Amino acid sequence: MNNFVFQNPTKLIFGKGTIATLATEIPADKKILMTYGGGSIKANGVYDQVKEALKNHSVTEFAGIEPNPTYETLIKAVEIVKEQKIDFLLAVGGGSVIDGTKFIAAAVVYNGDPWDLLIDQNKITDALPLASVLTLPATGSEMNGNAVISKKATHEKLAFGSIKANPVFSILDPEVTYSLPKRQVANGIVDTFVHVCEQYLTYPSQAMVQDRFAEGILSTLTELGEKVIADNTNYDLMSNFMYSATLALNGFIAMGVPQDWATHSIGHELTAFHGLDHAVTLAIVQPSLWRVMREEKKAKLLQYGERVWNITTGSDDEKVEAAIAKTENFYRSVGIKTKLSEYGIGSESINSIVERFEQRGWKLGENGTITPDKVREILNGCL
Ligand code: NZQ
Ligand code: ZN
């Protein structure tokens, strides 16, 4: 097991009726900016619950944070926060609204072009306090310091991670997920699954508890995946799904283990160039990446195949291929296709994506061995 330091400052408030606790969780003297997306919170009653809880607070609203939140939209909120001397941000929505709000929180106190924070996260030395009311289990943004922001002008999508951007608290009421469209439920299942894999499916690191913990989340997702697609109004199922998504990316399973994240880095480019949903890009990239990197990942692919999918017969190569195929079938079983061609996309962006990785000089993967040439091979395998 590798050395590690663990700290997660976010308070988690989980369960039915918990949105009402906003009334006491946010100090009464705070000037709040409440941020949200395209209006789903008005249709499902979450907006009314938040406004009721904050009826004695000063609240300004900023609506219209889009999926894959953009710099262009968020910079408008930065101006409002400065003008109105807002001192607390409350994100009400999915990962996009929470990520966007983290960016606002860090940008407001930064002297310079806030896009710098996506180029060099060490520049995040402070941020306004923020909290969230989560409406979509998927990203884990509710209990981490990460944000992924897009720039429309240049078709870029970049991430930062800073403990300064962790929410002070996050409220998770599984009942608010009942209004999710099936597409977003499926996205949430796949994103959560891949988050676990990015921290688990690398090489053995003698981290027995972390492995079992990761396999527990993966098995929970395979058990409830099709059931929540069929019915996302079952409290027990949705609460387990919501808890899984938070645990998948709040640092617990990352302690002392190597991490990959190449599927995410390549996937972000597919969203930037083609507008595909984040989870869709992961379902496309991951199986191809595993095939290209199968030798380096062999020991963990075999362990994963046996413990999550009960694959115990055949040669090692057959078991590895069976584990990858089972994973693809799982994504398909919740309604997400796993090839670019199934979304009408060909090889048109591959050269540009490879060029970007060449320019950035990033060393991708748990061993830093996913070179731009490998990225090309992986993308060719996605067609
Ligand atoms: O905008 P509104 O009207 O709220 O509608 C949203 C949006 O259209 C809708 N929605 C959310 N909750 C709902 C609901 N509709 C009905 N009922 C509800 N309860 O769902 C749509 C998608 O929302 P979005 O926030 O974009 O989805 P998600 O939570 O999957 O977030 C995706 C973003 O998070 C980033 C992704 O790159 C992407 O930009 N990620 C953030 C991470 C992090 N902070 O740690 C890690 C992830 O890997 C990911 O990269
Ligand atoms: Zn993700």
Side-chain angles (χ1 to χ4, degrees), residues 138-139 148 190-192 194-195 198 249 261 264 268 278-279 282:
T139 62
V148 192
V190 171
D191 196 18
T192 304
V194 179
H195 290 161
E198 298 274 29
L249 201 46
W261 296 106
H264 270 70
H268 287 164
H278 171 65
L282 306 177

Side-chain angles (χ1 to χ4, degrees), residues 49-335:
Q49 288 188 58
V50 171
K51 292 293 278 196
E52 173 61 25
L54 295 177
K55 62 183 180 219
N56 296 322
H57 284 75
S58 155
V59 181
T60 302
E61 294 179 25
F62 183 81
I65 298 182
E66 59 280 78
N68 306 307
T70 65
Y71 172 84
E72 286 86 348
T73 297
L74 301 167
I75 208 74
K76 294 180 196 154
V78 172
E79 288 313 310
I80 294 172
V81 171
K82 286 183 180 167
E83 270 165 35
Q84 300 194 15
K85 303 202 179 345
I86 303 277
D87 56 7
F88 196 96
L89 306 179
L90 178 66
V92 185
S96 293
V97 172
I98 303 175
D99 282 11
T101 306
K102 291 175 181 174
F103 178 75
I104 299 165
V108 165
V109 296
Y110 179 70
N111 286 322
D113 177 356
W115 188 251
D116 296 349
L117 306 174
L118 276 311
I119 309 286
D120 179 5
Q121 64 191 21
N122 294 321
K123 292 192 168 160
I124 304 172
T125 53
D126 200 5
L128 279 190
L130 70 119
S132 83
V133 175
L134 179 70
T135 63
L136 198 176
T139 62
S141 189
E142 66 276 10
M143 202 176 175
N144 67 38
N146 306 336
V148 192
I149 308 298
S150 299
K151 203 178 208 181
K152 270 195 277 196
T154 51
H155 290 289
E156 283 173 282
K157 185 174 190 192
L158 292 173
F160 70 58
S162 166
I163 199 166
K164 302 278 177 202
N166 264 72
V168 180
F169 67 85
S170 283
I171 296 179
L172 279 62
D173 180 345
E175 289 187 319
V176 310
T177 65
Y178 294 175
S179 58
L180 281 168
K182 281 195 196 318
R183 168 178 164 183
Q184 299 304 342
V185 178
N187 281 345
I189 295 279
V190 171
D191 196 18
T192 304
F193 198 91
V194 179
H195 290 161
V196 177
C197 295
E198 298 274 29
Q199 300 157 88
Y200 160 76
L201 223 144
T202 56
Y203 55 82
S205 64
Q206 320 312 324
M208 294 164 72
V209 176
Q210 295 88 324
D211 275 5
R212 294 283 184 190
F213 205 162
E215 288 152 1
I217 301 172
L218 296 175
S219 297
T220 301
L221 293 168
T222 61
E223 189 178 330
L224 58 68
E226 283 184 72
K227 293 180 189 154
V228 296
I229 293 296
D231 175 14
N232 64 307
T233 63
N234 176 312
Y235 186 82
D236 291 331
L237 289 177
M238 294 312 281
S239 53
N240 279 290
F241 171 25
M242 204 169 202
Y243 182 54
S244 299
T246 302
L247 283 184
L249 201 46
N250 67 354
F252 282 12
I253 61 167
M255 285 185 240
V257 301
Q259 300 187 44
D260 181 344
W261 296 106
T263 293
H264 270 70
S265 297
I266 301 170
H268 287 164
E269 296 303 325
L270 291 176
T271 298
F273 280 101
H274 303 289
L276 289 173
D277 286 358
H278 171 65
V280 168
T281 70
L282 306 177
I284 293 170
V285 173
Q286 188 197 50
S288 177
L289 186 144
W290 283 356
R291 288 195 173 99
V292 172
M293 303 308 293
R294 63 195 300 154
E295 285 308 317
E296 288 188 19
K297 289 183 178 290
K298 191 179 241 172
K300 273 321 230 341
L301 279 165
L302 290 170
Q303 180 180 325
Y304 161 72
E306 183 172 342
R307 293 191 186 173
V308 177
W309 296 110
N310 300 314
I311 298 167
T312 52
T313 54
S315 67
D316 281 0
D317 280 347
E318 284 164 354
K319 286 184 196 165
V320 163
E321 182 47 40
I324 300 172
K326 284 273 186 195
T327 311
E328 282 174 313
N329 287 339
F330 173 58
Y331 299 156
R332 289 179 174 277
S333 76
V334 297

